[in-house]
Amino acid sequence: MDVLRKEETCTIDDIYALPDGERAELIDGKIYYMAPPSRTHQQILLSLSRRIADYIDSKNGNCEVNVAPFAVFLSEDNINYVEPDISVICDPTKLDDKGCHGAPDWIIEIVSPGTKTMDYFKKLFKYRTVGVREYWIVDPTKELITVYRFEREIMEQYSFGEDVPAGIYEGFSVKVQ
């Protein structure tokens, strides 16, 4: 007789129990381990986060920019925990010392060789269903930025070097080099 094994559902407690220095994300109860980012990844992360934060500051905006590792608890359950490369949160009631509780307004993920499936599929679906307003996938290998504006059901692609408008900020755009 064949017996179907039920896959174990992990929780945020399992994430917190990881050994020091080990990072992972949790989507629908499944753990996905994370490799250290490349230098290119970190340069893009720093450049984008700095430009976004400078723009928000110049407009005296109330949104906050956070970079990985920064905990985002996507829903009330304890089976969804991610560390987006960049999270922009405009509702200060979602923030506490542990991280963001609920969907950030804008998430940017920078693709690494090992994260393509996560960024283009699993996270895309999850971010859309939990209420993220805008999601950018920056792919250094393809030199492409894929922009999902979920509220308007729009997907656009831009090449590195082009101005990429931020949908949640009227008149603001960024070039990824």
Side-chain angles (χ1 to χ4, degrees):
M1 179 173 141
D2 289 332
V3 177
L4 291 176
R5 289 186 185 192
K6 186 177 178 195
E7 211 173 290
E8 182 183 340
T9 299
C10 297
T11 68
I12 290 169
D13 290 337
D14 295 307
I15 294 291
Y16 284 125
L18 292 173
D20 284 347
E22 193 165 337
R23 290 179 50 214
E25 294 178 306
L26 182 67
I27 296 180
D28 296 328
K30 184 165 173 36
I31 288 183
Y32 298 90
Y33 292 93
M34 300 165 65
S38 69
R39 182 173 159 262
T40 299
H41 180 282
Q42 292 302 90
Q43 288 173 323
I44 293 169
L45 173 71
L46 178 60
S47 176
L48 281 173
S49 61
R50 186 176 55 228
R51 289 183 199 155
I52 296 165
D54 288 349
Y55 177 80
I56 293 169
D57 289 347
S58 75
K59 299 294 183 184
N60 294 316
N62 64 341
C63 299
E64 185 174 301
V65 179
N66 291 280
V67 297
F70 176 75
V72 175
F73 306 92
L74 289 173
S75 48
E76 298 275 330
D77 60 36
N78 68 346
I79 59 169
N80 287 287
Y81 166 97
V82 292
E83 293 182 3
D85 290 313
I86 300 173
S87 302
V88 179
I89 300 110
C90 299
D91 179 354
T93 65
K94 291 183 178 181
L95 296 167
D96 66 16
D97 279 344
K98 284 190 172 189
C100 176
H101 301 270
D105 295 273
W106 180 12
I107 288 178
I108 299 173
E109 295 283 8
I110 302 160
V111 176
S112 299
T115 67
K116 284 184 190 287
T117 300
M118 284 292 290
D119 296 335
Y120 282 106
F121 298 104
K122 288 189 186 316
K123 287 184 177 180
L124 170 64
F125 177 75
K126 183 52 78 176
Y127 292 162
R128 181 177 184 181
T129 58
V130 298
V132 172
R133 293 169 54 200
E134 186 163 344
Y135 176 42
W136 290 18
I137 302 172
V138 177
D139 192 328
T141 303
K142 295 179 181 177
E143 295 191 355
L144 280 176
I145 302 99
T146 306
V147 176
Y148 295 90
R149 302 182 206 293
F150 295 132
E151 293 176 319
R152 296 179 15 217
E153 296 188 12
I154 294 173
M155 188 277 283
E156 300 167 313
Q157 282 195 321
Y158 299 87
S159 296
F160 278 29
E162 287 186 276
D163 280 320
V164 183
I168 70 168
Y169 293 113
E170 189 75 31
F172 175 59
S173 63
V174 177
K175 278 186 188 174
V176 179
Q177 301 292 355

